[in-house]
């Protein structure tokens, strides 16, 4: 029995997509431990928001009650604003104007409340702030970067003149670079970029770190016509990481996939451009980079608060407006928008696509659904904020299934069956007809980059010289961003506490060693502390920082040139993988590959045939099951080689990026051309 799936199906059968998570919250909390007074207040507010959201229209009292909930919790703030916008009509507009005017006149609001009131004003086209109000807010909330950003957006949305000197003064404040760029863009929008004092910009905005970005940003806004071309145009969002920082921070296999997939799709004669957008905080690279024929990578300079666990929840509407304004300025007109996460940034793109009456494609994964229960199927006891965060993502997933024109599942028919457990609405015929299962893919001929190969050869020779003895034994390899969920800590313990350390050395690749984020630092510190406590592993375990995808593929190629009695192993220690780009790459190089049984790897890997599926819950299960396959199965070298060759064949026949891109192009064209919401 799976308590989460039973509860979800029970609640879903009685509630609409919009109401589902709120009812689920009530039922879930009933089964959980007691919650405190403040948490109960949030639950009560969610229940009230749910009741008001069911109405066809709101009166002044009800709208005032909704506004009174603002500032209590970041998720109720989001639900309040969503409900107001969902029920907004021309009839409601004067009521919003009255309540907002009363709210602003008191000047007793918090910055959190004001932020969302500004969002409502911009979305409902209600310009109520006087010049005095704006100046007061800019001064009082000078240190609240997100609120200042939203105030600038308000001034931009309503073309509020008369603040030129104030904006120039703000530029001199020690703000993040992306906020300063927003200020310069505002000055240009209110007049023209030619009138902006460039000597002032050079002195107060541009520095050695951001010069390349700033110059390319201004240049891109003035030359959008270069993107006008015959054929379908696709915009896909990533929002986590950068093509050039694979393996660093939260930048995992998705960046590798979208880079190569975009390059291949852009080669198709029916495609004019494919645009990939991300959000960047470090303005060290160009605003726009091009890959392949017509694949354009865009780094959006949107400020996000690094101190909060979910920075998109508050900034959702700003993200939507920012992307919309950029597309208009750059004269980019996507026909299809493709989103891939259950988060508020992806939701922002979905709403933008619908506002622009464009088609929306959504890649569906059961995350966080898989993490709502324990190994026995019982509901997990989650902290209140973690519970609300996960339920918000579940809510977004249900909304996106309902509004998308096309749905992509990652993998095969077996994975689709699993998706239907977590998303009961997929059994509906109308929704099912909009869905297509497509695997992920990899570039099979990367080593054709001669210049890259030569450059790598020199680096590898130096690396090999420094660790000569390391490569004189079989290697267990693991590649990916550093994260507790990626299991590198458990892998190190599994290797060191088992027979694996007697036959193999361990090589982990990933993470930003120069500027690690909080989670990366936690993992790196564990590695360093562990080796200090167990010095016998000092020369047998190597952790190397993130490398380019080409370098990794060439490193794998060099490792596989060395033959031993035991096979080289690629071991993915993630708690779960939706698919696993790094796994496919290792299989293509003929590593003996072990992947997590939880997730989508089982859609292409079969035990003892082309690899092994193992329980990656903890170091004990990783060690025990890897030992069973490697030592206790009585397999000889030739039998392992057969499995390795079968793994390579699986990838070459089914997961080349060329094949996958053809499936995506066909799907995009079907979605764009469909009339009856079927693909």
């Amino acid at each position: 029995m799976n308590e989460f799936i039973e509860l979800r199906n029970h609640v879903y059968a009685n509630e609409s997509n919009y109401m589902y998570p709120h009812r689920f919250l009530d039922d879930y909390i009933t089964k959980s431990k007691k919650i405190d007074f403040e948490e109960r207040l949030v639950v009560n507010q969610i229940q009230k928001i749910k009741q008001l959201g069911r109405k066809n229209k709101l009166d002044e009292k009800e709208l005032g009650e909704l506004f009174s909930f603002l500032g209590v919790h970041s998720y109720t703030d989001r639900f309040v604003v969503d409900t107001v916008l969902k029920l907004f009509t021309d009839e409601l507009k004067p009521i919003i104007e009255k309540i907002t005017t009363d709210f602003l006149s008191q000047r007793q609001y918090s910055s959190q409340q004001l932020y969302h009131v500004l969002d409502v004003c911009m979305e409902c086209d209600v310009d109520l702030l006087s010049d005095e109000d704006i100046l007061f807010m800019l001064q009082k909330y000078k240190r609240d970067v997100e609120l200042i950003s939203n105030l600038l957006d308000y001034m931009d949305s309503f073309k509020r003149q008369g603040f030129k000197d104030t904006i120039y003064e703000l530029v001199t404040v020690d703000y993040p670079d992306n906020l300063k760029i927003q200020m310069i863009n505002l000055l240009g929008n209110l007049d023209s970029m030619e009138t902006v004092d460039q000597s002032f910009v050079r002195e107060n905005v541009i520095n050695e770190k951001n010069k390349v970005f700033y110059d390319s940003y201004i240049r891109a806004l003035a030359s959008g016509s270069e993107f006008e071309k015959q054929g379908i145009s696709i915009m896909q969002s990533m929002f986590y990481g950068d093509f050039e920082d694979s393996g660093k921070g939260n930048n995992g296999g998705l960046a590798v996939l979208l880079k190569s997939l975009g390059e291949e799709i852009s080669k198709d004669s029916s495609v004019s451009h494919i645009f990939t957008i991300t959000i960047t905080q470090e303005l060290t690279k160009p605003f726009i980079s091009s890959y392949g024929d017509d694949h354009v990578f865009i780094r959006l300079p949107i400020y996000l608060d690094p101190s909060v666990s979910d920075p998109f929840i508050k900034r959702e509407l700003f993200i939507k407006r920012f992307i919309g304004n950029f597309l208009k300025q750059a004269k980019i007109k996507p026909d299809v928008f493709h989103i891939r996460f259950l988060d508020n940034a992806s939701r922002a793109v979905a709403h933008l696509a619908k506002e622009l009456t464009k088609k929306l494609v959504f890649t569906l994964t059961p995350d966080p659904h898989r993490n709502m229960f324990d190994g026995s199927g019982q509901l997990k006891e989650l902290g209140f904020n973690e519970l609300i965060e996960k339920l918000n993502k579940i809510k977004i997933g249900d909304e996106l299934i309902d509004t998308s024109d096309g749905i992509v599942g990652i993998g095969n028919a077996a994975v689709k069956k699993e998706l239907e457990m977590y998303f009961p609405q997929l059994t509906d015929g109308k929704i099912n007809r909009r869905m297509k299962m497509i695997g992920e893919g990899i570039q099979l001929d990367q080593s054709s980059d001669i210049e890259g190969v030569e450059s790598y050869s020199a680096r590898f020779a130096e690396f090999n010289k420094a660790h000569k003895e390391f490569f004189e034994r079989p290697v267990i390899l693991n590649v990916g961003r550093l994260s507790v969920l990626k299991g590198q800590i458990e892998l190190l313990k599994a290797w060191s506490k088992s027979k694996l350390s007697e036959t193999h050395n361990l090589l982990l690749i990933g993470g930003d060693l120069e500027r690690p984020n909080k989670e990366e630092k936690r993992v790196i510190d564990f590695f360093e502390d562990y080796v200090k406590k167990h010095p016998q592993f000092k020369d047998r375990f190597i952790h190397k920082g993130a490398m380019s995808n080409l370098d990794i593929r060439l490193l794998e190629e060099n490792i596989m040139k060395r033959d031993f009695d035991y096979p080289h192993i690629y071991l993915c220690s993630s708690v779960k993988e939706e698919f696993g780009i790094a796994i496919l790459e290792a299989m293509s190089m003929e590593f003996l590959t072990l992947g997590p049984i939880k997730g989508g790897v089982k859609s292409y890997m079969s035990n003892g045939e082309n690899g092994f599926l193992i329980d990656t819950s903890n170091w004990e299960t990783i060690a025990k099951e890897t030992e069973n396959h490697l030592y206790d199965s009585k397999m000889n070298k030739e039998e392992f080689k057969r499995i390795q060759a079968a793994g390579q064949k699986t990838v070459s026949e089914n997961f080349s990026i060329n094949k996958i891109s053809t499936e995506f192009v066909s799907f995009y064209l079907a979605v764009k051309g469909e009339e009856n919401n079927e693909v």
Side-chain angles (χ1 to χ4, degrees), residues 74-79 81-82 116 237 239-240 279 304 309-321 323 339-352 362 388-397 399-400:
S74 59
Y75 287 96
T76 51
D77 288 343
R78 178 79 280 127
F79 298 154
V81 175
D82 289 348
H116 291 291
S237 59
F239 294 142
Y240 299 91
I279 293 177
L304 298 173
S309 62
D310 185 357
F312 297 144
I313 183 73
K314 183 175 180 180
R315 298 286 273 168
E316 178 184 316
L317 293 171
F318 180 89
I319 291 169
K320 185 201 72 168
R321 292 189 297 266
I323 296 172
I339 54 178
R340 285 183 165 86
F341 287 99
L342 305 188
D343 59 31
N344 288 84
S346 298
R347 187 172 185 261
V349 175
H351 283 302
L352 176 62
F362 168 44
I388 296 293
E389 183 175 331
K390 289 183 184 301
L391 289 180
N392 178 61
K393 291 182 177 182
I394 293 172
K395 170 181 178 288
I396 289 172
E399 289 178 359
L400 294 178

Side-chain angles (χ1 to χ4, degrees), residues 70 92 118 186 189 299 323 338 341 347-348 428 456 465:
L70 290 174
L92 188 63
L118 292 176
L186 173 59
N189 290 343
R299 301 175 175 95
I323 296 172
H338 188 163
F341 287 99
R347 187 172 185 261
D428 182 290
Y456 169 78
K465 184 177 179 181

